[in-house]
């Protein structure tokens, strides 16, 4: 709830639209520009629908930052050796699967891959994070959403992200051409 007991704007928008059709059904999101007054609730729409975002090429590289900004924090508890990792390590799973602890990463990667490709900014940043994480005696990684990672899955996850390609890693010269 926002201050004063009001519901957040994105929630109000979803409730209002829900009177006319299911909020998960839109196939497209049209954003005239990347100002917060236009796409402040983009994260809610992108995670609750399969909609395609249509935005000017000028603004497309900024859109991910409205969903998961670079200022997010992780917390390390040296006593329990738990790393609360925020969105790093998130998996898209049923509530039953999310309640499980993953101890071997291989079968779990399909639940994590698309989220990390979409929301992580660059492989270089992930490699730097992995280098730092290897200096900690991590017993468990607890992401904001999805299953906990423990045992062998901790080291396997760190290895996986250290070689992961995402977001800006996929840009090519084709993304920077003069329109015809």
């Amino acid at each position: 709830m926002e201050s004063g007991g009001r519901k957040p704007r994105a929630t109000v928008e979803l409730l209002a639209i829900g009177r006319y059709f299911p909020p998960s059904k839109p196939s497209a999101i049209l954003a005239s520009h990347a100002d917060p007054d236009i796409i402040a609730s983009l994260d809610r729409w992108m995670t609750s629908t399969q909609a395609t975002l249509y935005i000017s090429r000028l603004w497309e590289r900024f859109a991910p930052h409205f969903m998961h900004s670079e200022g997010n924090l992780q917390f390390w508890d040296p006593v329990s050796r738990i790393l609360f990792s925020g969105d790093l390590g998130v998996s898209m799973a049923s509530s039953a699967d999310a309640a499980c602890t993953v101890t071997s990463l291989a079968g779990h990667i399909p639940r994590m891959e698309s989220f990390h490709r979409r929301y992580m900014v660059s492989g270089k940043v992930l490699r730097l994070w992995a280098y730092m994480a290897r200096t900690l005696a991590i017993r468990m990684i607890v992401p904001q959403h999805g299953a906990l990672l423990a045992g062998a899955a901790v080291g396997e996850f760190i290895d996986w992200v250290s070689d992961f390609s995402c977001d800006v890693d996929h840009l090519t010269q084709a993304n920077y051409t003069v329109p015809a």
Side-chain angles (χ1 to χ4, degrees), residues 4-177:
R6 293 185 320 231
K7 292 182 180 176
R9 181 177 177 166
T11 302
V12 172
E13 291 169 353
L14 284 172
L15 291 173
I17 287 173
R19 284 185 259 159
Y20 304 101
F21 62 89
S24 62
K25 292 295 183 191
S27 60
I29 298 170
L30 306 174
S32 62
H33 61 291
D35 261 351
D37 62 334
I38 299 297
I39 61 171
S41 60
L42 183 62
D43 63 330
R44 177 73 68 121
W45 290 105
M46 296 303 290
T47 57
S48 64
T49 72
Q50 293 296 313
T52 300
L53 172 64
Y54 292 94
I55 191 167
S56 163
R57 286 186 182 191
L58 176 66
W59 293 107
E60 72 183 352
R61 71 184 181 100
F62 295 104
H65 300 289
F66 284 98
M67 294 182 277
H68 290 80
S69 67
E70 59 191 45
N72 290 325
L73 298 176
Q74 295 184 350
F75 297 93
W76 160 246
D77 177 10
V79 175
S80 65
R81 298 182 6 236
I82 295 174
L83 175 64
F84 296 93
S85 62
D87 283 336
L88 191 57
V90 162
S91 57
M92 307 308 284
S94 69
S95 58
D97 288 336
C100 295
T101 298
V102 173
T103 57
S104 176
L105 197 67
H108 192 62
I109 289 173
R111 294 184 175 123
M112 298 172 20
E113 192 164 12
S114 63
F115 180 90
H116 285 76
R117 262 197 221 296
R118 182 177 204 162
Y119 293 112
M120 297 301 124
V121 175
S122 82
K124 178 180 180 180
V125 171
L126 292 174
R127 281 187 296 283
L128 293 170
W129 177 88
Y131 182 80
M132 174 204 63
R134 285 186 179 107
T135 68
L136 302 171
I138 301 171
R139 184 178 63 82
M140 184 180 293
I141 296 176
V142 179
Q144 181 175 345
H145 308 284
L148 312 177
L149 306 176
V154 170
E156 292 165 359
F157 176 76
I158 293 169
D159 290 343
W160 181 70
V161 297
S162 71
D163 193 35
F164 194 72
S165 159
C166 54
D167 198 26
V168 298
D169 302 329
H170 297 276
L171 295 176
T172 66
Q173 191 61 54
N175 298 103
Y176 295 92
T177 59

